[in-house]
């Protein structure tokens, strides 16, 4: 959600910034802009609605600079348009600024300080650069004006801000609160970005910024100060990830590449977490802290929430600790009565989701211990939780989460096993995680190798339909709602994931001739009941598609799943559902990796 890049000191500012924006494209955006300045009186501001390719087409050969800022915007306040795209400019044309986040008190600030300013956009962001312009006009230095403007933003506001002063264009002013931002340390120049991936072509060394910090960034200087104005010294951390890990590698879309990578991710997780003798590489302090709790709260959003539902089954079965799963945006403002000794698990691919972060901040204030399970080392939720476990899934670029979902479930299984083993729990001791995850990896491989069959099913049932249902019971219901989210977000088919037994209590009224109803059946205890529910919808004209474990399959079932441990069936059952979503989107002619209205990293509440 919104990408932000800046650089100072490199005379290839345009290509560096455009490259950075392209690397952040996957996060989701609807307009883009760039400002560069050559420090000799020439500067250029170019903005457009639409894709970065359109921005590039507007950048003529004469556009050049040694300092610059660029931005991809995901509209929150104001429609997607060139006027609302960043950078925004102060009324006197002196200050240029890009912003990620939300300024919650922008209306009040406008009224109180800027009533006479002619705003050029409908955004909340523009208010910040106009405040800087006003305060500089009143006699403050650029830095003082920047700091004063920031001091007026209310507690609910979130920002990553980059600013250039046209009268003094050798400094990039940087500020951060809640929205992610990193300084990239280079030789003879410096960069700043909302995600390390944007700048891996020029550096692997990054300095994280903390909330409230302000930076003056120059070609040979990184001057950080905290909210009180004290100088901050912080060493860079090294990102070992190869820049090519975020390339498509011959695939037409990242989503298909990432679906195909899942068997390898399962093997990687075995390597990262399981020792040769079957013991697990999980910090004993983490195990002890969780064991000391009387209830686990899993908090997450979207697909990560769905992975949490499966985690609930695993933790209760093996760790024997009561576990609840909550949608972060609900939990933050409608908190249930908490247990006496709660432990929080935040599941988040990006580690930046604002809804989850809001809950983590609240729980930190209450001094409750927490674990973040994330794909992104050094991400905000990782830094702010007591413990972190990494997903080791490699960069997930497609907006639709696939390999992060299965990696989350696998890590939850490893964690549950580790706690159970520590308790000498027989079920946990019998759960051979290396063997079970290897079976899963092999099963996933069989399914992705047969993807042409799923492509045919998508062509037959999903190209034309307006709506669809996924149904399942027990653990298959957990998979059904993730499968439905996948299908709706990339194909725009209105899809509901439903508890199979609940359909007849109302929703069956929506079944029409030809409505696709995809049922997931892996749990023997409820298989017969789900079969009855299939019959009920078939009798009303539905096109029934079955995704069924081998041992429960009937002749005529379209997708048969390899057998795996009963609590790990979501790891294989989701593969055909991901592929159905992918092919439905592709066959309908949509932008599979960047579905409309969606962002990869949702950094606003
Ligand atoms: O980065 P997170 O895992 O915290 O993101 C949570 C959701 O925004 C994310 O899973 C979203 O639902 C995906 N687009 C689903 O494919």
């Amino acid at each position: 959600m919104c990408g932000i890049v800046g650089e100072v000191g490199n005379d290839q500012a345009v290509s560096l910034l455009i490259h950075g924006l392209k690397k952040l494209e996957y996060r989701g955006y609807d307009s883009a802009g760039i400002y560069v300045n050559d420090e000799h009186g020439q500067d250029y501001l170019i903005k457009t609605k639409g894709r970065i390719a359109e921005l590039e087409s507007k950048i003529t050969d004469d556009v050049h600079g040694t300092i610059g800022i660029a931005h991809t915007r995901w509209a929150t306040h104001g429609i997607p348009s060139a006027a609302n795209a960043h950078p925004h400019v102060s009324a006197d044309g002196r200050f240029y600024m890009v912003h990620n986040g939300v300024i919650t008190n922008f209306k009040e600030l406008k009224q109180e300080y800027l009533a006479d300013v002619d705003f050029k956009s409908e955004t909340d962001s523009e208010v910040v650069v106009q405040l800087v312009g006003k305060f500089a006009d009143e006699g403050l230095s650029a830095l003082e004006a920047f700091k004063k403007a920031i001091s007026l933003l209310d507690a609910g506001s979130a920002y990553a801000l980059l600013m250039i002063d046209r009268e003094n264009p050798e400094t990039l002013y940087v500020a951060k609160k809640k929205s992610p931002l990193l300084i990239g340390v280079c030789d003879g120049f410096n960069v700043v970005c909302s995600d390390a991936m944007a700048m891996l072509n020029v550096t692997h060394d990054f300095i994280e910024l903390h909330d409230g910090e302000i930076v003056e960034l120059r070609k040979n200087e990184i001057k950080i100060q905290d909210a009180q104005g004290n100088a901050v010294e912080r060493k860079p951390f090294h990102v070992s990830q190869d820049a090519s890990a975020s390339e498509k590698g011959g695939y037409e879309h990242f989503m298909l590449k990432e679906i195909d990578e899942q068997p390898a991710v399962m093997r990687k997780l075995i390597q990262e977490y399981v020792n040769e003798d079957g013991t697990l590489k999980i910090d004993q302090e983490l195990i002890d802290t969780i064991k000391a709790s009387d209830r686990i709260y899993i908090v997450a959003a979207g697909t990560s929430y769905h992975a949490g539902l499966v985690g609930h089954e695993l933790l209760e079965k093996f760790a024997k600790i009561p576990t609840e799963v909550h949608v972060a945006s609900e939990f933050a403002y409608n908190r249930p009565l908490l247990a006496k000794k709660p432990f929080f698990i935040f599941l988040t691919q990006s580690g930046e989701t604002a809804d989850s972060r809001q809950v983590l901040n609240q729980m930190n204030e209450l001094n409750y211990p927490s674990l973040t399970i994330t794909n992104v080392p050094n991400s905000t939720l990782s830094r702010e939780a007591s413990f972190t476990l990494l997903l080791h899934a490699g960069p997930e670029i497609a907006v639709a989460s696939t390999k992060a979902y299965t990696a989350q479930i696998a890590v939850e299984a490893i964690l549950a096993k580790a706690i159970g083993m520590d308790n000498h729990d027989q079920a946990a001791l019998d759960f051979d995680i290396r063997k079970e995850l290897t079976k899963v990896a092999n099963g996933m491989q069989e399914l992705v190798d047969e993807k042409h069959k799923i492509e045919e099913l998508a062509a037959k049932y999903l190209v034309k339909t307006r709506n669809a249902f996924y149904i399942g019971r027990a653990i298959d219901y957990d998979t059904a709602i993730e499968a439905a989210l996948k299908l709706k977000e990339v194909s725009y088919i209105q899809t509901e994931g439903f508890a199979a037994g609940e359909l007849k209590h109302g929703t069956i009224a929506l079944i029409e001739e030809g409505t696709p109803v995809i049922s997931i059946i892996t749990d023997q205890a409820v298989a017969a009941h789900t079969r009855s529910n299939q019959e009920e919808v078939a009798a009303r004209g539905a096109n029934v598609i079955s995704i069924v474990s081998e041992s429960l399959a009937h002749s005529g079932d379209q997708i048969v799943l390899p057998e795996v441990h009963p609590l790990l069936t979501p790891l294989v059952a989701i593969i055909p559902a991901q592929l159905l979503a992918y092919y439905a989107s592709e066959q309908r002619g949509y932008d599979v990796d960047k579905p409309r209205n969606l962002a990869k990293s949702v950094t606003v509440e």
Side-chain angles (χ1 to χ4, degrees):
M1 179 172 275
C2 297
I4 198 165
V5 284
E7 86 79 28
V8 52
N10 186 313
D11 61 6
Q12 298 301 309
V14 175
S15 57
L16 229 152
L17 295 174
I18 294 293
H19 172 89
L21 285 189
K22 283 184 179 164
K23 287 288 169 191
L24 299 179
E25 246 190 321
Y26 76 99
R27 295 166 75 99
Y29 69 103
D30 39 49
S31 53
I34 183 170
Y35 171 75
V36 287
N37 186 310
D38 72 357
E39 296 177 53
H40 300 294
Q42 283 291 332
D43 62 348
Y44 308 84
L45 172 69
I46 302 154
K47 310 203 284 184
T48 184
K49 180 181 168 192
R51 296 291 180 204
I52 293 166
E54 281 157 64
L55 183 68
E56 272 185 298
S57 71
K58 293 187 174 168
I59 301 177
T60 48
D61 289 344
D62 57 318
V63 178
H64 66 287
T66 51
I67 183 170
I69 50 181
H71 188 265
T72 45
R73 171 174 185 259
W74 187 85
T76 55
H77 299 66
I79 56 163
S81 67
N84 287 335
H86 303 212
H88 294 295
V89 193
S90 59
D92 58 2
R94 177 173 164 189
F95 297 100
Y96 291 76
M97 186 180 279
V98 290
H99 166 231
N100 280 0
V102 174
I103 308 301
T104 35
N105 61 333
F106 79 105
K107 282 193 182 138
E108 293 81 354
L109 291 171
K110 252 183 177 179
Q111 257 168 26
E112 191 171 342
Y113 296 91
L114 303 165
D116 54 343
V117 173
D118 181 18
F119 274 74
K120 297 282 181 296
S121 78
E122 304 153 314
T123 64
D124 54 327
S125 307
E126 191 185 344
V127 82
V128 189
V129 77
Q130 298 296 7
L131 284 171
V132 177
K134 175 186 167 65
F135 298 142
D137 199 37
E138 290 169 1
L140 295 187
S141 70
L143 179 63
E144 287 164 348
F146 188 56
K147 287 171 80 170
K148 181 163 178 187
I150 288 165
S151 73
L152 298 175
L153 310 180
D154 68 3
S157 294
Y159 54 81
L161 291 165
L162 307 185
M163 183 185 85
I164 294 174
D165 175 3
R166 198 170 179 274
E167 289 182 4
N168 196 2
E170 81 292 340
T171 304
L172 202 54
Y173 297 91
V174 179
K176 179 228 174 321
K177 190 183 140 202
K178 295 189 192 170
S179 298
L181 205 56
L182 297 170
I183 304 291
V185 185
C186 305
D187 194 9
F189 66 103
N190 285 304
V191 296
V192 54
C193 48
S194 45
D195 184 329
M197 213 184 282
M199 291 293 172
L200 284 178
N201 59 328
V202 289
T203 185
H204 281 71
D205 295 320
F206 294 89
I207 299 176
E208 67 189 50
L209 294 181
H210 295 178
D211 283 356
E213 289 179 344
I214 288 183
V215 188
E216 290 163 86
L217 196 65
R218 302 190 179 91
K219 69 190 273 191
N220 289 315
E221 187 184 31
I222 301 168
K223 204 169 159 190
I224 309 176
Q225 54 179 279
D226 65 18
Q228 288 71 44
N230 305 309
V232 174
E233 289 294 329
R234 189 169 301 125
K235 289 212 162 56
F237 64 91
H238 190 76
V239 175
S240 48
Q241 181 185 304
D242 193 330
S244 68
S246 61
E247 306 291 338
K248 279 192 197 142
Y251 280 84
E252 202 180 330
H253 298 107
F254 281 110
M255 184 176 175
L256 191 58
K257 174 176 179 255
E258 289 160 7
I259 291 171
D260 276 2
E261 282 171 350
Q262 291 175 102
V265 173
M266 293 299 116
R267 296 201 168 92
K268 172 83 174 155
L269 287 172
I270 296 172
Q271 193 190 319
E272 291 290 335
Y273 285 112
V274 188
N275 291 312
E276 280 306 317
D277 63 0
T279 55
L280 298 173
K281 298 178 214 173
I282 300 278
D283 185 358
Q284 188 61 41
E285 196 189 340
L286 168 61
I287 295 175
D288 292 342
T289 312
I290 298 180
K291 278 175 60 179
S293 72
D294 56 359
R295 187 166 283 261
I296 297 173
Y297 294 83
I298 300 179
V299 179
T303 286
S304 295
Y305 167 73
H306 298 154
L309 296 174
V310 183
H312 159 249
E313 317 273 352
L314 289 158
L315 284 161
E316 291 203 338
K317 167 84 177 177
F318 297 124
K320 305 276 186 315
I321 302 175
T323 302
E324 293 178 19
V325 192
H326 291 270
V327 168
S329 54
E330 286 297 309
F331 192 97
Y333 301 101
N334 188 14
R335 192 187 304 164
L337 182 64
L338 293 180
K340 287 203 171 61
K341 288 182 280 173
F343 183 87
F344 285 83
I345 298 181
F346 293 89
L347 286 179
T348 168
Q349 188 284 130
S350 63
E352 302 294 347
T353 298
D355 293 322
S356 301
R357 194 176 171 217
Q358 177 65 18
V359 180
L360 175 55
N361 286 344
Q362 293 172 2
M363 296 311 115
N364 280 344
E365 275 169 26
L366 295 168
N367 285 321
Y368 291 139
S370 57
L371 160 71
T372 288
I373 300 180
T374 182
N375 203 24
V376 184
N378 288 301
S379 55
T380 309
L381 275 119
S382 160
R383 289 199 311 270
E384 293 179 349
S386 330
F387 302 92
T388 295
L389 291 176
L390 292 177
L391 296 177
H392 297 289
E396 190 181 69
I397 308 292
V399 164
S401 184
T402 52
K403 60 179 180 172
Y405 169 76
T406 46
Q408 282 168 338
I409 294 173
V411 171
E412 289 172 314
I414 291 165
L415 178 66
K417 155 97 181 164
I419 302 165
M421 271 172 80
D422 206 69
N423 283 333
H424 307 289
D425 177 85
Q426 199 52 49
L429 291 169
D430 293 344
F431 182 49
D432 182 342
I433 191 82
R434 173 186 291 280
K435 189 176 104 202
E436 297 302 343
L437 286 181
T438 303
K439 259 202 258 172
V440 165
N442 294 340
M444 286 173 159
Q445 193 63 56
E446 280 176 40
L447 290 162
V448 294
D449 287 347
E450 301 253 289
K451 54 169 78 70
H452 62 278
K453 290 190 188 160
I454 312 275
E455 186 175 6
E456 284 161 21
L457 285 173
K460 188 166 171 193
Y461 295 111
L462 298 175
V463 175
K464 292 266 153 53
T465 189
R466 200 168 47 86
N467 57 2
F469 290 87
Y470 269 96
I471 58 169
R473 287 168 178 253
I475 202 164
D476 296 330
Y477 172 49
D478 299 341
T479 314
I481 54 176
E482 167 56 12
L485 177 64
K486 219 67 333 167
L487 184 58
K488 78 178 85 157
E489 72 179 324
V490 295
S491 74
Y492 316 146
I493 297 168
Q494 185 165 8
T495 315
E496 280 192 63
F498 237 80
E502 188 66 9
L503 263 188
K504 60 185 176 294
H505 295 290
T507 306
I508 201 166
L510 298 177
I511 303 294
E512 294 172 348
E513 196 63 38
T515 305
V517 177
I518 307 163
S519 57
I520 300 177
I521 305 176
T522 71
D523 183 344
Q524 204 215 338
V526 290
H529 286 309
T530 309
R531 290 281 184 195
S532 302
N533 302 133
Q534 278 186 321
E535 295 300 329
E536 288 157 12
V537 292
R540 286 156 181 87
N543 285 328
V544 173
I545 304 163
S546 308
I547 300 178
V548 191
S549 289
E550 207 171 338
S551 58
L552 301 171
H554 292 176
S555 78
D557 286 334
Q558 294 90 335
I559 302 167
V560 177
L561 302 171
E563 288 299 326
V564 297
H565 187 282
L567 289 180
L568 298 181
T569 56
L571 293 175
V572 287
I574 199 62
I575 304 288
Q578 293 170 345
L579 287 165
L580 278 171
Y582 172 77
Y583 286 117
S585 174
E586 196 224 8
Q587 289 161 8
R588 285 171 165 241
Y590 298 138
D591 190 345
V592 180
D593 287 337
K594 296 186 223 80
R596 69 185 181 207
N597 304 338
L598 295 183
K600 181 69 184 165
S601 178
V602 185
T603 49
V604 294
E605 280 188 65

Short mmCIF file of all heavy atoms in Angstrom, two decimals, residues 270 273-282 414 417-418 421 433-434:
data_model
loop_
_atom_site.label_atom_id
_atom_site.label_comp_id
_atom_site.label_asym_id
_atom_site.label_seq_id
_atom_site.Cartn_x
_atom_site.Cartn_y
_atom_site.Cartn_z
N ILE A 270 11.52 -27.17 7.07
CA ILE A 270 12.08 -28.34 7.78
C ILE A 270 13.55 -28.05 8.08
O ILE A 270 14.03 -28.22 9.20
CB ILE A 270 11.94 -29.62 6.92
CG1 ILE A 270 10.46 -29.95 6.70
CG2 ILE A 270 12.68 -30.79 7.57
CD1 ILE A 270 10.20 -31.08 5.71
N TYR A 273 13.91 -25.31 10.86
CA TYR A 273 13.36 -25.50 12.21
C TYR A 273 13.53 -26.90 12.81
O TYR A 273 13.27 -27.09 13.99
CB TYR A 273 11.87 -25.15 12.22
CG TYR A 273 11.60 -23.65 12.16
CD1 TYR A 273 11.03 -23.06 11.04
CD2 TYR A 273 11.93 -22.83 13.23
CE1 TYR A 273 10.78 -21.69 10.97
CE2 TYR A 273 11.70 -21.46 13.18
CZ TYR A 273 11.13 -20.90 12.06
OH TYR A 273 10.90 -19.55 12.01
N VAL A 274 13.88 -27.89 11.96
CA VAL A 274 13.92 -29.26 12.50
C VAL A 274 15.34 -29.80 12.47
O VAL A 274 15.99 -29.82 11.42
CB VAL A 274 12.97 -30.20 11.69
CG1 VAL A 274 12.87 -31.56 12.37
CG2 VAL A 274 11.58 -29.57 11.52
N ASN A 275 15.84 -30.22 13.63
CA ASN A 275 17.17 -30.83 13.69
C ASN A 275 17.11 -32.27 13.20
O ASN A 275 16.04 -32.89 13.16
CB ASN A 275 17.67 -30.83 15.15
CG ASN A 275 17.98 -29.41 15.62
OD1 ASN A 275 18.64 -28.65 14.93
ND2 ASN A 275 17.48 -29.06 16.80
N GLU A 276 18.28 -32.81 12.87
CA GLU A 276 18.37 -34.19 12.38
C GLU A 276 17.72 -35.18 13.35
O GLU A 276 17.07 -36.13 12.94
CB GLU A 276 19.84 -34.58 12.17
CG GLU A 276 20.44 -34.06 10.86
CD GLU A 276 19.63 -34.47 9.64
OE1 GLU A 276 19.21 -35.64 9.57
OE2 GLU A 276 19.41 -33.59 8.76
N ASP A 277 17.89 -34.94 14.67
CA ASP A 277 17.35 -35.89 15.66
C ASP A 277 15.87 -35.65 15.97
O ASP A 277 15.31 -36.24 16.89
CB ASP A 277 18.18 -35.80 16.95
CG ASP A 277 18.08 -34.42 17.60
OD1 ASP A 277 17.37 -33.54 17.05
OD2 ASP A 277 18.70 -34.21 18.66
N GLY A 278 15.23 -34.76 15.22
CA GLY A 278 13.79 -34.53 15.41
C GLY A 278 13.48 -33.44 16.41
O GLY A 278 12.32 -33.02 16.55
N THR A 279 14.50 -32.96 17.16
CA THR A 279 14.23 -31.83 18.05
C THR A 279 14.05 -30.57 17.19
O THR A 279 14.42 -30.56 16.01
CB THR A 279 15.39 -31.62 19.05
OG1 THR A 279 16.59 -31.47 18.31
CG2 THR A 279 15.49 -32.78 20.02
N LEU A 280 13.51 -29.54 17.82
CA LEU A 280 13.14 -28.37 17.03
C LEU A 280 13.96 -27.14 17.41
O LEU A 280 14.32 -26.98 18.59
CB LEU A 280 11.65 -28.07 17.22
CG LEU A 280 10.73 -29.19 16.74
CD1 LEU A 280 9.29 -28.90 17.12
CD2 LEU A 280 10.84 -29.38 15.24
N LYS A 281 14.25 -26.31 16.40
CA LYS A 281 15.05 -25.11 16.66
C LYS A 281 14.11 -23.96 17.04
O LYS A 281 13.89 -23.03 16.25
CB LYS A 281 15.85 -24.74 15.42
CG LYS A 281 16.85 -25.80 14.99
CD LYS A 281 17.56 -25.39 13.72
CE LYS A 281 17.86 -26.58 12.85
NZ LYS A 281 18.39 -26.29 11.55
N ILE A 282 13.50 -24.10 18.21
CA ILE A 282 12.61 -23.03 18.71
C ILE A 282 13.17 -22.62 20.07
O ILE A 282 13.41 -23.47 20.94
CB ILE A 282 11.15 -23.54 18.88
CG1 ILE A 282 10.58 -24.03 17.55
CG2 ILE A 282 10.28 -22.48 19.53
CD1 ILE A 282 10.04 -22.98 16.63
N ILE A 414 4.89 -26.42 13.69
CA ILE A 414 6.20 -26.63 14.32
C ILE A 414 6.17 -26.09 15.76
O ILE A 414 6.63 -26.73 16.70
CB ILE A 414 7.30 -25.95 13.48
CG1 ILE A 414 7.46 -26.69 12.14
CG2 ILE A 414 8.62 -25.88 14.23
CD1 ILE A 414 8.24 -25.92 11.08
N LYS A 417 4.03 -28.31 18.00
CA LYS A 417 4.78 -29.55 18.29
C LYS A 417 5.86 -29.26 19.35
O LYS A 417 6.06 -30.05 20.28
CB LYS A 417 5.39 -30.05 16.98
CG LYS A 417 6.62 -30.89 17.09
CD LYS A 417 6.31 -32.37 17.02
CE LYS A 417 7.59 -33.20 17.17
NZ LYS A 417 7.35 -34.57 17.49
N ALA A 418 6.56 -28.13 19.22
CA ALA A 418 7.64 -27.81 20.15
C ALA A 418 7.10 -27.66 21.57
O ALA A 418 7.69 -28.18 22.53
CB ALA A 418 8.34 -26.52 19.72
N MET A 421 5.97 -31.16 22.80
CA MET A 421 7.11 -32.03 23.14
C MET A 421 7.67 -31.65 24.50
O MET A 421 8.04 -32.50 25.30
CB MET A 421 8.22 -31.83 22.09
CG MET A 421 8.10 -32.77 20.91
SD MET A 421 9.30 -32.32 19.64
CE MET A 421 10.78 -33.04 20.25
N ILE A 433 7.08 -34.28 12.73
CA ILE A 433 6.90 -33.09 11.90
C ILE A 433 7.72 -33.16 10.61
O ILE A 433 7.27 -32.73 9.54
CB ILE A 433 7.19 -31.79 12.71
CG1 ILE A 433 6.76 -30.53 11.96
CG2 ILE A 433 8.63 -31.67 13.09
CD1 ILE A 433 5.34 -30.20 12.08
N ARG A 434 8.94 -33.72 10.70
CA ARG A 434 9.75 -33.85 9.49
C ARG A 434 9.03 -34.72 8.46
O ARG A 434 8.88 -34.34 7.30
CB ARG A 434 11.12 -34.44 9.83
CG ARG A 434 11.98 -34.76 8.61
CD ARG A 434 13.24 -35.47 9.02
NE ARG A 434 14.13 -34.58 9.77
CZ ARG A 434 14.94 -33.68 9.22
NH1 ARG A 434 14.99 -33.57 7.91
NH2 ARG A 434 15.70 -32.92 9.96
#
